[in-house]
Amino acid sequence: MAPADVRRNGPRTERTAVTTESVLDAALTLFAERGYHGTAVSQIAAALGVRTPSLYNHMSSKQELLETLVGRTLDDVHSEFDEAVRGLDAPADQLRAAVRVYARRHATHRREALVVNRDTTSLPEPALSRMRRRRRDHETAVRAVISRGVEDGSFSVGNAGLASFAILEMSVSIARWFREDGPRTAEQVADEYAEFALRVVRYRP
């Protein structure tokens, strides 16, 4: 299924002030639509209504833009996980909350999700390994929640690692099909996916 339209910004005029944040935003939109390799720096400049050399006042390379976008997104994923589970003791409550914010992110930050999940591998080393490690850290945190639930008997899934992978991957897919004008809101989808996650781990209240 082709991703939905993820554009946010139309072409800008030469008089529009260009900032580092506006360059990142334009790059994010184009990377999400066309892919990292399918986007030229000149296209980012055109989206902002400026000449290509002007961009280099706000960036050193297209690669730097991708690394910044991926890094910011992964930082946000970790922060949202930490905030979601803070103050919760039961593994079921932690898993429900963690999956809810992760699923909602993929409905409300679709450009970031598409870019991170498709284009991170375009980064060179050592940035690639650093970003992969950040993604693994999140999966490890989710797996730890599931493992605690298995230990206390509230979850009966046989393989915590496989369960965490399945839960995260089903959440990632939301970015490819979710529509803001669809039959369910982002909050409703997030709530449903949180309950799906509890079924995956065979939650027993």
Side-chain angles (χ1 to χ4, degrees):
M1 180 183 297
D5 186 358
V6 292
R7 291 172 292 180
R8 285 196 177 177
N9 300 314
R12 305 186 184 203
T13 66
E14 189 73 46
R15 293 189 299 273
T16 302
V18 174
T19 65
T20 299
E21 290 304 316
S22 66
V23 172
L24 285 166
D25 189 69
L28 178 60
T29 295
L30 290 170
F31 292 168
E33 289 178 345
R34 306 178 182 187
Y36 174 74
H37 289 298
T39 301
V41 172
S42 60
Q43 292 171 321
I44 300 173
L48 291 164
V50 300
R51 295 182 176 87
T52 300
S54 300
L55 291 186
Y56 290 96
N57 294 320
H58 308 282
M59 54 174 262
S60 62
S61 65
K62 188 174 75 164
Q63 172 194 316
E64 179 195 46
L65 296 177
L66 179 61
E67 184 175 350
T68 298
L69 292 168
V70 172
R72 285 185 178 184
T73 299
L74 295 179
D75 285 346
D76 288 344
V77 166
H78 281 273
S79 295
E80 289 174 3
F81 174 88
D82 291 341
E83 183 176 349
V85 302
R86 187 176 296 122
L88 300 176
D89 296 322
D93 292 337
Q94 291 183 338
L95 185 63
R96 182 185 288 110
V99 174
R100 182 182 290 118
V101 297
Y102 194 63
R104 184 172 61 237
R105 161 164 284 276
H106 282 78
T108 59
H109 294 74
R110 295 177 52 247
R111 294 182 304 164
E112 292 88 338
L114 292 168
V115 170
V116 168
N117 288 290
R118 181 187 58 213
D119 293 325
T120 297
T121 54
S122 297
L123 290 170
E125 295 293 358
L128 176 58
S129 291
R130 186 166 60 251
M131 297 306 169
R132 281 177 166 169
R133 185 165 53 251
R134 291 290 286 160
R135 295 190 73 177
R136 286 197 301 271
D137 287 346
H138 177 245
E139 187 278 326
T140 298
V142 174
R143 187 182 345 135
V145 171
I146 296 172
S147 295
R148 287 195 293 273
V150 172
E151 290 172 3
D152 72 9
S154 56
F155 302 158
S156 61
V157 67
N159 188 314
L162 187 60
S164 67
F165 179 79
I167 289 168
L168 295 178
E169 284 299 302
M170 74 177 185
S171 299
V172 164
S173 71
I174 295 171
R176 295 194 292 270
W177 61 259
F178 182 79
R179 302 291 187 276
E180 291 182 356
D181 59 354
R184 286 179 173 80
T185 66
E187 290 293 337
Q188 289 172 328
V189 169
D191 287 341
E192 290 185 37
Y193 269 61
E195 295 307 314
F196 292 162
L198 293 178
R199 295 178 192 175
V200 170
V201 297
R202 298 171 189 160
Y203 172 48
R204 297 181 296 189

